Amino acid sequence: MRRADRLFRIVEYLKARRETVTAKELGEELEVGVRTIYRDIADLKASGVPLTGEAGVGYLLSPNYVVRPLLFDDEELEALALGAQMVQSWADPAMAQAARRALDRITAVLPESLGDTIRDSTSYAYPSSGKPSLQIDFTSLRRAIRTRHVVEFAYTDHNGSETKRHIRPLAMIFLAPHWMVAAWCELRCDFRHFRLDRMQSMNVLTRQFQHEAGKTLKDMRQQSEGD
């Protein structure tokens, strides 16, 4: 994380909270040492950010400090809060942390009264005991979609048959309680959906793929709409 991004993240994190936050907590959130946090806090104060507190006690950002204007209505805020909780409950740890950061970023730039709408939301999403366990790295699979890397894995279908697959991952689909990856399957030479809980021994290959006519996410959607 660039230093400028880290400083902005500190402001967002503190703005989203009403109680003091220790340097240790900030360091764990941003994955840096306490000494780095102390230097960052000093620089933020020097630049005019209204921070109170001290080392060993914790820091608090004035509730009147405005990061930038951003307005939503109550229904939109409740939907955002609930959506972030659902991501935290059902997605992988990296995406769960991203959801928390995103909600903090939104809360940080809201007026105090609207920030209360998120903090006091009456809609909740808790982790479910029905969440299937995975034997693959969910985060690596998501990133392979963005970087267009071919993925190989062993797959067991609903009949118990096992095959070895090489796919071009195109999108993640959540059909509660299951996550699926939509892909171009090189074995079947067609689009396929694979449940993540049926995948094993997954590897992201160094081989990348380029978009080809008839094998893209857009093509898959058009094919689905035509069925």
Side-chain angles (χ1 to χ4, degrees):
M1 180 185 296
R2 295 180 305 170
R3 184 169 181 277
D5 293 335
R6 188 175 69 246
L7 292 175
F8 187 69
R9 175 64 184 141
I10 289 173
V11 172
E12 288 180 330
Y13 194 88
L14 294 175
K15 180 69 174 178
R17 288 159 178 78
R18 290 180 169 181
E19 301 175 348
T20 57
V21 178
T22 65
K24 180 182 178 186
E25 182 179 343
L26 284 169
E28 291 174 348
E29 176 67 19
L30 300 172
E31 298 181 349
V32 296
V34 172
R35 291 183 180 275
T36 298
I37 296 298
Y38 289 157
R39 289 194 296 270
D40 289 346
I41 291 292
D43 289 342
L44 287 170
K45 286 182 176 180
S47 67
V49 177
L51 287 166
T52 58
E54 57 185 338
V57 177
Y59 302 98
L60 190 65
L61 181 63
S62 169
N64 297 320
Y65 182 69
V66 177
V67 181
R68 64 166 67 93
L70 184 65
L71 296 177
F72 297 94
D73 62 31
D74 289 348
E75 288 292 321
E76 291 169 338
L77 290 173
E78 189 163 356
L80 289 169
L82 179 60
Q85 289 183 33
M86 293 176 70
V87 170
Q88 292 178 53
S89 299
W90 290 97
D92 59 289
M95 184 175 280
Q97 187 177 47
R100 288 194 297 273
R101 291 199 307 270
L103 197 59
D104 283 348
R105 183 165 296 181
I106 292 170
T107 305
V109 299
L110 291 172
E112 187 68 15
S113 59
L114 292 179
D116 287 341
T117 301
I118 286 184
R119 285 184 285 264
D120 301 332
S121 174
T122 55
S123 298
Y124 298 93
Y126 290 112
S128 171
S129 59
K131 181 179 180 180
S133 60
L134 304 181
Q135 299 183 53
I136 64 165
D137 187 337
F138 192 163
T139 304
S140 294
L141 180 57
R142 285 195 302 102
R143 290 172 178 168
I145 294 174
R146 291 201 302 270
T147 58
R148 299 180 190 173
H149 278 84
V150 173
V151 174
E152 67 173 5
F153 56 89
Y155 192 72
T156 304
D157 65 17
H158 64 283
N159 294 317
S161 300
E162 297 183 3
T163 52
K164 187 78 170 182
R165 303 291 182 120
H166 286 77
I167 65 169
R168 300 181 178 190
L170 302 175
M172 300 298 302
I173 300 172
F174 183 57
L175 186 60
H178 301 292
W179 276 100
M180 296 183 289
V181 57
W184 174 264
C185 178
E186 296 185 345
L187 177 65
R188 304 304 184 196
C189 295
D190 201 355
F191 296 111
R192 288 290 188 272
H193 293 79
F194 301 95
R195 273 178 40 178
L196 269 60
D197 57 311
R198 292 177 175 170
M199 297 168 60
Q200 300 179 26
S201 305
M202 187 193 80
N203 290 303
V204 178
L205 305 183
T206 57
R207 178 162 60 98
Q208 290 182 281
F209 61 91
Q210 300 298 320
H211 288 318
E212 295 181 42
K215 299 180 182 181
T216 67
L217 180 59
K218 181 179 179 180
D219 294 320
M220 186 188 72
R221 287 172 172 166
Q222 291 177 339
Q223 184 183 96
S224 178
E225 291 170 358
D227 291 342

